[in-house]
Amino acid sequence: MGYGHRLEFGITIPPVLPEGAAAFARRAEELGYDVVTFRDAPGRSLDAWTLASWVAGRTDRVRVGAHVPCATPAVLARAAASLDLLSGGRLELGLGAGEEAAALGEAIDIIRGLLDAGERGPLRFEGEHYRVRGARRGPAPERYVPVHVEAHDPPMLRLAGRKADGWVATLGRIKAGGIRAANGLLDETAREAGRDPREIRRLLNISGRFSGERGGFLDGPPGAWVEDLLPLVIEEGVGTLVLATDGAEGMERFAREVVPALREAAGRELAGAPSGPAVRPAWVRARRQPGIDYGRIPASLGENAVEPGDPAYARVRSTYLRGGAPGLVLRAGSPEQVAEALAFARSHPEVPLGIRSGGHGISGRSTNRGGIVIDLSKMDGIEVLDEASRRVRLGPGARWMDVAAALAPYGWGLSSGDYGGVGVGGLATAGGIGWLARKRGLTIDRLRAVEMVLADGSVVRAGGEENPDLFWAVRGAGANFGIVTSFEFEAYEVGEVGWGQFLVDASDTAGLLRRWGAAVEVAPRDLTSFIILGAQRPGRPAVAQVFAVVDSDRPEVVAGQLEPVARAAPVYDQSAVITPYASVMANAQGSYHEARGEPVARSGLIRHITPRFAAAAEMLLRSGAAYFFQIRSVGGAVSDVAPEATAYAGRSANFHVAAFGASPERLDAAWDAMRTHFEGTYLSFETDRRPERLREAFPPGVLERLRELKGRYDPENVFRDNFNIPPAERRQG
Amino acid sequence: MTDYGHDLLFGAFITPAARPPTHAVELAVAAERAGLDLVTFQDHPYQPAFLDTWTLLSYVAARTERVRLSGNVINLPLRHPAVLARAAASLDLLSGGRFELGLGAGGFWDAIEAMGGRRLTPGQSVEALGEAIGIIRELWDTEKRGGARFDGEYYSLKGAKRGPAPAHGIGIWVGAYGPRMLRLTGRMADGWVPSLPYLSGGPANLAEMNRRIDEGAASAGRDPSAVRRLLNISGQFQPSRGSLLVGPPRQWAEELAEISLEHGVSGFILMADDAAPIELFASEVAPATRELVAAGRAR
């Protein structure tokens, strides 16, 4: 019999040798052990929690099983979350030694309650043994922290059956023949509590002796060990064998001579048994969304999948600007996993599907309510393919500030957007209006090839030679055609740049915009400038922020080019530095998004900042309908590219304009009056889903070609959550 | 001039923020690289925005090689002294003698009680701290035979196994402000670690507080120099001279040297959550302060 868990192996680190503990654990990691465990022993041995935390700091991969007493459960909960966070999700919490079942049951409830940071409101718990009176929950651990309970008697076994994620027993305190009865009790109490017995991993502490001839149980050559252990795995459902050994030799021999043979033998015997991921706990399953078949999540994605009851859910549910409550987030780590995730999503045609790289999408929804999100943040590679041609390969989940930092040592760069937290995938399939736009063009203008997963699950390359139609479409409308899993760019040389920031008087808003726009248009291409204004409030001075990058490290050039732009209005405050391009981009913190609600954004491309447009913009800001208004300079190298060369068609514009508002009705009322000034739009900053927007983003010929290609590559419109292009109807016959 | 005869220590007081979880670790590593002597973290186990300080200290110890570490200060009401004794000794052994035990009596009693801790009055908490220091020292003493026994009002040991013994004589540093705590610090502690921003009268308050510690020490037959005086400080680096600890590094060094020479403070711990001020503190303030103090002591 089995419980569907992967067979794992652990080693107990003796808590006596401070100088050797980390080396021992590191060796266990090298030998492929899944977990190292620590247990408290009184007297001169080391404190298990301290030792486990120390070892976590000296290892990278192996999980850390800390078996500790539980004096103050609420404090232990915070410690557990902390160790899980620091170790990157490697903690297994062991409890139960020397505890009383009833008290431990309360402690587990408190620990789980505090670890459940997704639950709002403080934890209150009034027990016989412990009381918690309104403690705030959190921190949220990196992963679900499994609670393993050591149990050798019926009360503790029943507790483990009700509450534990793992049952730990020590061979010797339990006879091999007693495991079956214990399992029976565990399974029965689990079922009584509404749980699936497969929720409980069975862990067995073992010890023995390697010798030339068989002397007894776990006493003999490795083959004898395999013979002794195999029935425990196959017949008793033991999922983890944890070896206690004093010396390094036992650890080495067990890993080299017992584990591989045991895995192979168990694999053969268990070939017909159901396998797959371990079952999620009942209290997590209770929060699942209807309409998603969680039982059929592909095994390769199961471990990293996040459901509403998981601790990581709070971190992945929302994006930078949008609150969400997806039913499932699939974190794919390879093109194959992307294809599997996509196939799974396609088997749920009724639920929304979002694709997320950095989670900064505005038009690209990348979260939803009750649907599926394919998260590409794990695919964050940044790799130099060829130094001579400055060819680099980027994963969709890499963030642009990390790209800038990784390219800096080569003296290279790639203009992206203005914010370092933005992911590669969304931006590099839409356009990319960044700090070097006028000198170097859009981000997509340096794209040379992509590898992508299409709606049918096939993995294709697209570039100038291969699938050129698809490559054309990807550069401006990529989100409609598939999931790009790697981007090949040709970077260029960027060293230190001039970086100016000016706070200017915006009381004459229209005049400021006009003068700024005129100065930018005649500036050398080295200069790219963005201007930001907020809603104007009566009684407060109106201000604007002007930012500009000058692609030069010569102070006189930088000063000379910044000066006309800054002169657009009286300056309240200014700073101008010569700094690496990468440091201009290093402006984002962690990737944890907690937005709520839905952004309202409107976007347009414009050739010149005419007096009429500037006046309309002033009206918009005076109306209060927009709380954020930004104009970015494009033109220059962006306009060197022929409009038909990429699906991004707005090549004639010198400026991109975007506004954020609180109310779509109010913003539209003001914005629709401005639309006459625009020549097309950049889709990335548009949340309006009315069909006119499609015709603004893509001129008729481009749209027709895109619809044709959409009909070819995604006829069922799987990719519809980011500025959807409806596929052309297929011709009959 | 007051001089308790200790070499100067310079340290950082880093917020143990839970997000991103590696931030505090990276700052600690940066502090070590910058050459600071000491990295400390405050301990508020009821605060979910923070990492558990003990776990963080242990993890940071594994990620550093040279720098000394301490809680600043460890929250006694939510951490049992017997557990603390073993954990502290373990961390000291693992880190090769780099751990010091900053200890506080607790203060946020609503939050402590919400977490399952026992509410004490300020007076009780001083007594409890005294008992805890006794228990910790008893458990560290593996030279004594037999189990450790302690029969206190707040804590008791009934023949607990002793050990492990720490790798070096771990300093017990107490965060103390009130007269009772200061006297207790003088009687029992190895160090005193108040925070300058909490001193209503600024550094001038140190004289009176030092006097109470010295009295406490004398009452227990100890030399006042048995208690190292440290000080948590905050400030701002800027090119122009400003108020206390607001100005260029040279101004900082002069002001810290004055505090050191005047009040016998031999440890300055900078509250900072950015690498830049930590680096400036280590590379410019610390050496200049050391020089000025050495010159002042020689006079």
PDB file of all heavy atoms in Angstrom, chain A residues 41 43 45 47 49-50 54 57-58 78 82 86 133 592 594, chain B residues 19 45-46 48 52 54-55 59 62-63 86 90 94 114 163:
ATOM      1  N   ALA A  41      17.833  17.506  22.240  1.00  0.00           N
ATOM      2  CA  ALA A  41      18.148  16.546  23.285  1.00  0.00           C
ATOM      3  C   ALA A  41      18.632  17.381  24.462  1.00  0.00           C
ATOM      4  O   ALA A  41      19.264  18.410  24.260  1.00  0.00           O
ATOM      5  CB  ALA A  41      19.250  15.598  22.826  1.00  0.00           C
ATOM      6  N   GLY A  43      20.613  18.813  27.830  1.00  0.00           N
ATOM      7  CA  GLY A  43      22.011  18.833  28.229  1.00  0.00           C
ATOM      8  C   GLY A  43      22.911  19.433  27.181  1.00  0.00           C
ATOM      9  O   GLY A  43      22.586  20.440  26.580  1.00  0.00           O
ATOM     10  N   SER A  45      23.901  18.928  24.224  1.00  0.00           N
ATOM     11  CA  SER A  45      23.725  19.008  22.779  1.00  0.00           C
ATOM     12  C   SER A  45      23.198  20.389  22.400  1.00  0.00           C
ATOM     13  O   SER A  45      22.705  21.146  23.224  1.00  0.00           O
ATOM     14  CB  SER A  45      22.767  17.923  22.313  1.00  0.00           C
ATOM     15  OG  SER A  45      21.485  18.185  22.810  1.00  0.00           O
ATOM     16  N   ASP A  47      20.978  23.374  20.723  1.00  0.00           N
ATOM     17  CA  ASP A  47      19.565  23.687  20.570  1.00  0.00           C
ATOM     18  C   ASP A  47      19.165  23.442  19.111  1.00  0.00           C
ATOM     19  O   ASP A  47      19.792  23.955  18.182  1.00  0.00           O
ATOM     20  CB  ASP A  47      19.356  25.163  20.933  1.00  0.00           C
ATOM     21  CG  ASP A  47      17.955  25.636  20.620  1.00  0.00           C
ATOM     22  OD1 ASP A  47      17.014  25.097  21.222  1.00  0.00           O
ATOM     23  OD2 ASP A  47      17.813  26.526  19.769  1.00  0.00           O
ATOM     24  N   TRP A  49      16.609  24.253  17.165  1.00  0.00           N
ATOM     25  CA  TRP A  49      16.148  25.336  16.278  1.00  0.00           C
ATOM     26  C   TRP A  49      17.307  26.205  15.806  1.00  0.00           C
ATOM     27  O   TRP A  49      17.409  26.581  14.646  1.00  0.00           O
ATOM     28  CB  TRP A  49      15.096  26.205  16.989  1.00  0.00           C
ATOM     29  CG  TRP A  49      14.447  27.124  16.015  1.00  0.00           C
ATOM     30  CD1 TRP A  49      14.786  28.419  15.761  1.00  0.00           C
ATOM     31  CD2 TRP A  49      13.413  26.780  15.100  1.00  0.00           C
ATOM     32  NE1 TRP A  49      14.000  28.908  14.748  1.00  0.00           N
ATOM     33  CE2 TRP A  49      13.155  27.925  14.325  1.00  0.00           C
ATOM     34  CE3 TRP A  49      12.667  25.607  14.860  1.00  0.00           C
ATOM     35  CZ2 TRP A  49      12.180  27.949  13.316  1.00  0.00           C
ATOM     36  CZ3 TRP A  49      11.702  25.627  13.868  1.00  0.00           C
ATOM     37  CH2 TRP A  49      11.466  26.780  13.114  1.00  0.00           C
ATOM     38  N   THR A  50      18.194  26.511  16.754  1.00  0.00           N
ATOM     39  CA  THR A  50      19.366  27.321  16.411  1.00  0.00           C
ATOM     40  C   THR A  50      20.223  26.586  15.385  1.00  0.00           C
ATOM     41  O   THR A  50      20.666  27.172  14.389  1.00  0.00           O
ATOM     42  CB  THR A  50      20.176  27.603  17.693  1.00  0.00           C
ATOM     43  OG1 THR A  50      19.309  28.204  18.656  1.00  0.00           O
ATOM     44  CG2 THR A  50      21.342  28.526  17.418  1.00  0.00           C
ATOM     45  N   TRP A  54      21.006  27.702  11.567  1.00  0.00           N
ATOM     46  CA  TRP A  54      22.413  27.834  11.145  1.00  0.00           C
ATOM     47  C   TRP A  54      22.668  27.002   9.892  1.00  0.00           C
ATOM     48  O   TRP A  54      23.230  27.493   8.906  1.00  0.00           O
ATOM     49  CB  TRP A  54      23.300  27.370  12.308  1.00  0.00           C
ATOM     50  CG  TRP A  54      24.723  27.097  11.948  1.00  0.00           C
ATOM     51  CD1 TRP A  54      25.249  25.919  11.503  1.00  0.00           C
ATOM     52  CD2 TRP A  54      25.818  28.021  11.999  1.00  0.00           C
ATOM     53  NE1 TRP A  54      26.594  26.057  11.290  1.00  0.00           N
ATOM     54  CE2 TRP A  54      26.971  27.331  11.579  1.00  0.00           C
ATOM     55  CE3 TRP A  54      25.927  29.365  12.368  1.00  0.00           C
ATOM     56  CZ2 TRP A  54      28.232  27.932  11.517  1.00  0.00           C
ATOM     57  CZ3 TRP A  54      27.185  29.964  12.300  1.00  0.00           C
ATOM     58  CH2 TRP A  54      28.313  29.253  11.889  1.00  0.00           C
ATOM     59  N   GLY A  57      21.400  28.346   6.766  1.00  0.00           N
ATOM     60  CA  GLY A  57      22.251  29.413   6.244  1.00  0.00           C
ATOM     61  C   GLY A  57      23.479  28.905   5.512  1.00  0.00           C
ATOM     62  O   GLY A  57      24.143  29.658   4.817  1.00  0.00           O
ATOM     63  N   ARG A  58      23.782  27.634   5.692  1.00  0.00           N
ATOM     64  CA  ARG A  58      24.987  27.075   5.065  1.00  0.00           C
ATOM     65  C   ARG A  58      24.660  26.079   3.960  1.00  0.00           C
ATOM     66  O   ARG A  58      25.549  25.403   3.456  1.00  0.00           O
ATOM     67  CB  ARG A  58      25.848  26.373   6.136  1.00  0.00           C
ATOM     68  CG  ARG A  58      26.440  27.329   7.154  1.00  0.00           C
ATOM     69  CD  ARG A  58      27.809  27.804   6.688  1.00  0.00           C
ATOM     70  NE  ARG A  58      28.252  28.963   7.445  1.00  0.00           N
ATOM     71  CZ  ARG A  58      29.427  29.029   8.080  1.00  0.00           C
ATOM     72  NH1 ARG A  58      30.255  28.010   8.060  1.00  0.00           N
ATOM     73  NH2 ARG A  58      29.771  30.126   8.715  1.00  0.00           N
ATOM     74  N   ARG A  78       5.943  32.158  14.364  1.00  0.00           N
ATOM     75  CA  ARG A  78       6.696  33.228  13.699  1.00  0.00           C
ATOM     76  C   ARG A  78       8.095  32.742  13.337  1.00  0.00           C
ATOM     77  O   ARG A  78       8.632  33.088  12.285  1.00  0.00           O
ATOM     78  CB  ARG A  78       6.821  34.434  14.608  1.00  0.00           C
ATOM     79  CG  ARG A  78       5.504  34.998  15.091  1.00  0.00           C
ATOM     80  CD  ARG A  78       5.294  36.418  14.639  1.00  0.00           C
ATOM     81  NE  ARG A  78       4.312  37.106  15.442  1.00  0.00           N
ATOM     82  CZ  ARG A  78       3.013  37.170  15.166  1.00  0.00           C
ATOM     83  NH1 ARG A  78       2.532  36.559  14.089  1.00  0.00           N
ATOM     84  NH2 ARG A  78       2.190  37.834  15.955  1.00  0.00           N
ATOM     85  N   SER A  82       9.666  32.435   9.638  1.00  0.00           N
ATOM     86  CA  SER A  82      10.928  33.122   9.369  1.00  0.00           C
ATOM     87  C   SER A  82      11.964  32.178   8.770  1.00  0.00           C
ATOM     88  O   SER A  82      12.634  32.509   7.793  1.00  0.00           O
ATOM     89  CB  SER A  82      11.484  33.723  10.665  1.00  0.00           C
ATOM     90  OG  SER A  82      10.539  34.600  11.233  1.00  0.00           O
ATOM     91  N   LEU A  86      13.617  32.568   5.163  1.00  0.00           N
ATOM     92  CA  LEU A  86      15.060  32.737   5.000  1.00  0.00           C
ATOM     93  C   LEU A  86      15.658  31.610   4.169  1.00  0.00           C
ATOM     94  O   LEU A  86      16.570  31.822   3.391  1.00  0.00           O
ATOM     95  CB  LEU A  86      15.744  32.796   6.374  1.00  0.00           C
ATOM     96  CG  LEU A  86      15.522  34.095   7.152  1.00  0.00           C
ATOM     97  CD1 LEU A  86      15.955  33.925   8.606  1.00  0.00           C
ATOM     98  CD2 LEU A  86      16.298  35.238   6.509  1.00  0.00           C
ATOM     99  N   ARG A 133      -4.660  35.815  22.347  1.00  0.00           N
ATOM    100  CA  ARG A 133      -5.722  36.814  22.429  1.00  0.00           C
ATOM    101  C   ARG A 133      -5.503  37.921  21.418  1.00  0.00           C
ATOM    102  O   ARG A 133      -5.047  39.005  21.749  1.00  0.00           O
ATOM    103  CB  ARG A 133      -5.783  37.383  23.846  1.00  0.00           C
ATOM    104  CG  ARG A 133      -6.235  36.318  24.811  1.00  0.00           C
ATOM    105  CD  ARG A 133      -6.230  36.807  26.227  1.00  0.00           C
ATOM    106  NE  ARG A 133      -6.906  35.838  27.070  1.00  0.00           N
ATOM    107  CZ  ARG A 133      -6.861  35.856  28.380  1.00  0.00           C
ATOM    108  NH1 ARG A 133      -6.170  36.800  28.998  1.00  0.00           N
ATOM    109  NH2 ARG A 133      -7.492  34.948  29.072  1.00  0.00           N
ATOM    110  N   TYR A 592       6.794  41.412  -4.708  1.00  0.00           N
ATOM    111  CA  TYR A 592       5.569  41.049  -4.009  1.00  0.00           C
ATOM    112  C   TYR A 592       4.527  42.138  -4.303  1.00  0.00           C
ATOM    113  O   TYR A 592       4.711  43.287  -3.933  1.00  0.00           O
ATOM    114  CB  TYR A 592       5.895  41.008  -2.510  1.00  0.00           C
ATOM    115  CG  TYR A 592       4.845  40.450  -1.597  1.00  0.00           C
ATOM    116  CD1 TYR A 592       5.200  39.614  -0.544  1.00  0.00           C
ATOM    117  CD2 TYR A 592       3.503  40.767  -1.743  1.00  0.00           C
ATOM    118  CE1 TYR A 592       4.264  39.108   0.331  1.00  0.00           C
ATOM    119  CE2 TYR A 592       2.556  40.272  -0.879  1.00  0.00           C
ATOM    120  CZ  TYR A 592       2.950  39.444   0.163  1.00  0.00           C
ATOM    121  OH  TYR A 592       2.030  38.953   1.038  1.00  0.00           O
ATOM    122  N   GLU A 594       0.667  43.693  -4.046  1.00  0.00           N
ATOM    123  CA  GLU A 594      -0.496  43.610  -3.165  1.00  0.00           C
ATOM    124  C   GLU A 594      -1.613  44.546  -3.585  1.00  0.00           C
ATOM    125  O   GLU A 594      -2.390  44.990  -2.753  1.00  0.00           O
ATOM    126  CB  GLU A 594      -0.086  43.990  -1.741  1.00  0.00           C
ATOM    127  CG  GLU A 594       0.777  42.959  -1.066  1.00  0.00           C
ATOM    128  CD  GLU A 594       1.147  43.392   0.338  1.00  0.00           C
ATOM    129  OE1 GLU A 594       1.814  44.410   0.498  1.00  0.00           O
ATOM    130  OE2 GLU A 594       0.733  42.702   1.271  1.00  0.00           O
TER     131      GLU A 594
ATOM    132  N   ARG B  19      10.022  41.278   4.924  1.00  0.00           N
ATOM    133  CA  ARG B  19       9.935  41.379   3.470  1.00  0.00           C
ATOM    134  C   ARG B  19      10.815  42.485   2.941  1.00  0.00           C
ATOM    135  O   ARG B  19      10.688  43.606   3.409  1.00  0.00           O
ATOM    136  CB  ARG B  19       8.483  41.620   3.049  1.00  0.00           C
ATOM    137  CG  ARG B  19       7.837  40.334   2.678  1.00  0.00           C
ATOM    138  CD  ARG B  19       6.462  40.419   2.160  1.00  0.00           C
ATOM    139  NE  ARG B  19       5.867  41.690   2.057  1.00  0.00           N
ATOM    140  CZ  ARG B  19       4.617  41.948   2.442  1.00  0.00           C
ATOM    141  NH1 ARG B  19       3.899  41.020   2.987  1.00  0.00           N
ATOM    142  NH2 ARG B  19       4.106  43.124   2.279  1.00  0.00           N
ATOM    143  N   PRO B  45       8.601  39.602  19.058  1.00  0.00           N
ATOM    144  CA  PRO B  45       7.979  38.393  18.492  1.00  0.00           C
ATOM    145  C   PRO B  45       6.497  38.558  18.169  1.00  0.00           C
ATOM    146  O   PRO B  45       5.942  37.739  17.455  1.00  0.00           O
ATOM    147  CB  PRO B  45       8.169  37.343  19.591  1.00  0.00           C
ATOM    148  CG  PRO B  45       9.268  37.859  20.447  1.00  0.00           C
ATOM    149  CD  PRO B  45       9.181  39.353  20.379  1.00  0.00           C
ATOM    150  N   TYR B  46       5.877  39.607  18.687  1.00  0.00           N
ATOM    151  CA  TYR B  46       4.447  39.812  18.388  1.00  0.00           C
ATOM    152  C   TYR B  46       4.280  40.577  17.085  1.00  0.00           C
ATOM    153  O   TYR B  46       3.171  40.815  16.645  1.00  0.00           O
ATOM    154  CB  TYR B  46       3.794  40.592  19.540  1.00  0.00           C
ATOM    155  CG  TYR B  46       4.758  41.536  20.217  1.00  0.00           C
ATOM    156  CD1 TYR B  46       5.086  42.745  19.618  1.00  0.00           C
ATOM    157  CD2 TYR B  46       5.395  41.178  21.404  1.00  0.00           C
ATOM    158  CE1 TYR B  46       6.024  43.585  20.188  1.00  0.00           C
ATOM    159  CE2 TYR B  46       6.338  42.013  21.978  1.00  0.00           C
ATOM    160  CZ  TYR B  46       6.655  43.223  21.370  1.00  0.00           C
ATOM    161  OH  TYR B  46       7.592  44.046  21.918  1.00  0.00           O
ATOM    162  N   PRO B  48       4.349  40.744  13.281  1.00  0.00           N
ATOM    163  CA  PRO B  48       4.454  39.839  12.128  1.00  0.00           C
ATOM    164  C   PRO B  48       5.166  40.442  10.926  1.00  0.00           C
ATOM    165  O   PRO B  48       5.481  39.726   9.987  1.00  0.00           O
ATOM    166  CB  PRO B  48       2.999  39.527  11.781  1.00  0.00           C
ATOM    167  CG  PRO B  48       2.217  40.661  12.322  1.00  0.00           C
ATOM    168  CD  PRO B  48       2.964  41.161  13.520  1.00  0.00           C
ATOM    169  N   ASP B  52      11.489  36.359  12.943  1.00  0.00           N
ATOM    170  CA  ASP B  52      11.845  35.948  14.295  1.00  0.00           C
ATOM    171  C   ASP B  52      13.332  36.227  14.494  1.00  0.00           C
ATOM    172  O   ASP B  52      14.184  35.763  13.733  1.00  0.00           O
ATOM    173  CB  ASP B  52      11.552  34.464  14.470  1.00  0.00           C
ATOM    174  CG  ASP B  52      12.092  33.947  15.785  1.00  0.00           C
ATOM    175  OD1 ASP B  52      11.614  34.411  16.824  1.00  0.00           O
ATOM    176  OD2 ASP B  52      13.010  33.096  15.764  1.00  0.00           O
ATOM    177  N   TRP B  54      15.557  35.358  16.751  1.00  0.00           N
ATOM    178  CA  TRP B  54      16.496  34.281  17.047  1.00  0.00           C
ATOM    179  C   TRP B  54      16.858  33.506  15.780  1.00  0.00           C
ATOM    180  O   TRP B  54      18.030  33.186  15.531  1.00  0.00           O
ATOM    181  CB  TRP B  54      15.938  33.315  18.109  1.00  0.00           C
ATOM    182  CG  TRP B  54      17.085  32.570  18.648  1.00  0.00           C
ATOM    183  CD1 TRP B  54      17.583  31.394  18.197  1.00  0.00           C
ATOM    184  CD2 TRP B  54      17.958  33.028  19.664  1.00  0.00           C
ATOM    185  NE1 TRP B  54      18.728  31.087  18.871  1.00  0.00           N
ATOM    186  CE2 TRP B  54      18.975  32.071  19.782  1.00  0.00           C
ATOM    187  CE3 TRP B  54      17.988  34.164  20.484  1.00  0.00           C
ATOM    188  CZ2 TRP B  54      20.020  32.213  20.699  1.00  0.00           C
ATOM    189  CZ3 TRP B  54      19.015  34.296  21.392  1.00  0.00           C
ATOM    190  CH2 TRP B  54      20.011  33.323  21.492  1.00  0.00           C
ATOM    191  N   THR B  55      15.851  33.224  14.983  1.00  0.00           N
ATOM    192  CA  THR B  55      16.088  32.500  13.740  1.00  0.00           C
ATOM    193  C   THR B  55      17.000  33.315  12.829  1.00  0.00           C
ATOM    194  O   THR B  55      17.945  32.789  12.233  1.00  0.00           O
ATOM    195  CB  THR B  55      14.737  32.232  13.053  1.00  0.00           C
ATOM    196  OG1 THR B  55      13.865  31.596  13.987  1.00  0.00           O
ATOM    197  CG2 THR B  55      14.901  31.363  11.829  1.00  0.00           C
ATOM    198  N   TYR B  59      20.684  32.388  11.419  1.00  0.00           N
ATOM    199  CA  TYR B  59      20.903  32.313   9.977  1.00  0.00           C
ATOM    200  C   TYR B  59      22.025  33.267   9.565  1.00  0.00           C
ATOM    201  O   TYR B  59      22.913  32.915   8.791  1.00  0.00           O
ATOM    202  CB  TYR B  59      19.595  32.662   9.260  1.00  0.00           C
ATOM    203  CG  TYR B  59      19.609  32.448   7.772  1.00  0.00           C
ATOM    204  CD1 TYR B  59      19.265  31.217   7.231  1.00  0.00           C
ATOM    205  CD2 TYR B  59      19.961  33.479   6.907  1.00  0.00           C
ATOM    206  CE1 TYR B  59      19.265  31.014   5.865  1.00  0.00           C
ATOM    207  CE2 TYR B  59      19.975  33.282   5.539  1.00  0.00           C
ATOM    208  CZ  TYR B  59      19.622  32.048   5.017  1.00  0.00           C
ATOM    209  OH  TYR B  59      19.630  31.853   3.667  1.00  0.00           O
ATOM    210  N   ALA B  62      25.445  32.072  10.281  1.00  0.00           N
ATOM    211  CA  ALA B  62      25.944  31.113   9.289  1.00  0.00           C
ATOM    212  C   ALA B  62      26.423  31.812   8.024  1.00  0.00           C
ATOM    213  O   ALA B  62      27.207  31.262   7.267  1.00  0.00           O
ATOM    214  CB  ALA B  62      24.856  30.099   8.955  1.00  0.00           C
ATOM    215  N   ARG B  63      25.926  33.009   7.787  1.00  0.00           N
ATOM    216  CA  ARG B  63      26.269  33.726   6.555  1.00  0.00           C
ATOM    217  C   ARG B  63      27.407  34.724   6.735  1.00  0.00           C
ATOM    218  O   ARG B  63      27.743  35.458   5.819  1.00  0.00           O
ATOM    219  CB  ARG B  63      25.027  34.476   6.046  1.00  0.00           C
ATOM    220  CG  ARG B  63      23.950  33.556   5.515  1.00  0.00           C
ATOM    221  CD  ARG B  63      24.453  32.976   4.218  1.00  0.00           C
ATOM    222  NE  ARG B  63      23.606  31.928   3.714  1.00  0.00           N
ATOM    223  CZ  ARG B  63      23.046  31.947   2.499  1.00  0.00           C
ATOM    224  NH1 ARG B  63      23.236  32.960   1.709  1.00  0.00           N
ATOM    225  NH2 ARG B  63      22.329  30.928   2.095  1.00  0.00           N
ATOM    226  N   ARG B  86      20.346  27.712  26.440  1.00  0.00           N
ATOM    227  CA  ARG B  86      20.865  26.660  25.548  1.00  0.00           C
ATOM    228  C   ARG B  86      21.021  27.184  24.143  1.00  0.00           C
ATOM    229  O   ARG B  86      21.981  26.883  23.435  1.00  0.00           O
ATOM    230  CB  ARG B  86      19.925  25.458  25.552  1.00  0.00           C
ATOM    231  CG  ARG B  86      19.968  24.667  26.851  1.00  0.00           C
ATOM    232  CD  ARG B  86      19.269  23.326  26.712  1.00  0.00           C
ATOM    233  NE  ARG B  86      19.810  22.573  25.604  1.00  0.00           N
ATOM    234  CZ  ARG B  86      19.072  21.952  24.702  1.00  0.00           C
ATOM    235  NH1 ARG B  86      17.756  22.005  24.772  1.00  0.00           N
ATOM    236  NH2 ARG B  86      19.636  21.273  23.748  1.00  0.00           N
ATOM    237  N   SER B  90      24.452  27.534  22.121  1.00  0.00           N
ATOM    238  CA  SER B  90      24.563  26.829  20.837  1.00  0.00           C
ATOM    239  C   SER B  90      25.026  27.782  19.745  1.00  0.00           C
ATOM    240  O   SER B  90      25.910  27.456  18.947  1.00  0.00           O
ATOM    241  CB  SER B  90      23.200  26.239  20.440  1.00  0.00           C
ATOM    242  OG  SER B  90      22.739  25.352  21.432  1.00  0.00           O
ATOM    243  N   LEU B  94      28.362  27.509  17.578  1.00  0.00           N
ATOM    244  CA  LEU B  94      28.317  27.398  16.119  1.00  0.00           C
ATOM    245  C   LEU B  94      29.094  28.534  15.455  1.00  0.00           C
ATOM    246  O   LEU B  94      29.747  28.332  14.439  1.00  0.00           O
ATOM    247  CB  LEU B  94      26.858  27.411  15.636  1.00  0.00           C
ATOM    248  CG  LEU B  94      26.067  26.138  15.911  1.00  0.00           C
ATOM    249  CD1 LEU B  94      24.570  26.391  15.745  1.00  0.00           C
ATOM    250  CD2 LEU B  94      26.514  25.011  14.974  1.00  0.00           C
ATOM    251  N   ALA B 114      -1.146  38.883  24.245  1.00  0.00           N
ATOM    252  CA  ALA B 114      -1.877  38.350  23.091  1.00  0.00           C
ATOM    253  C   ALA B 114      -1.179  37.122  22.518  1.00  0.00           C
ATOM    254  O   ALA B 114      -1.820  36.211  22.004  1.00  0.00           O
ATOM    255  CB  ALA B 114      -2.011  39.424  22.009  1.00  0.00           C
ATOM    256  N   GLY B 163      24.343  22.932  30.421  1.00  0.00           N
ATOM    257  CA  GLY B 163      25.030  22.945  29.133  1.00  0.00           C
ATOM    258  C   GLY B 163      24.085  23.181  27.974  1.00  0.00           C
ATOM    259  O   GLY B 163      22.879  23.265  28.164  1.00  0.00           O
TER     260      GLY B 163
END
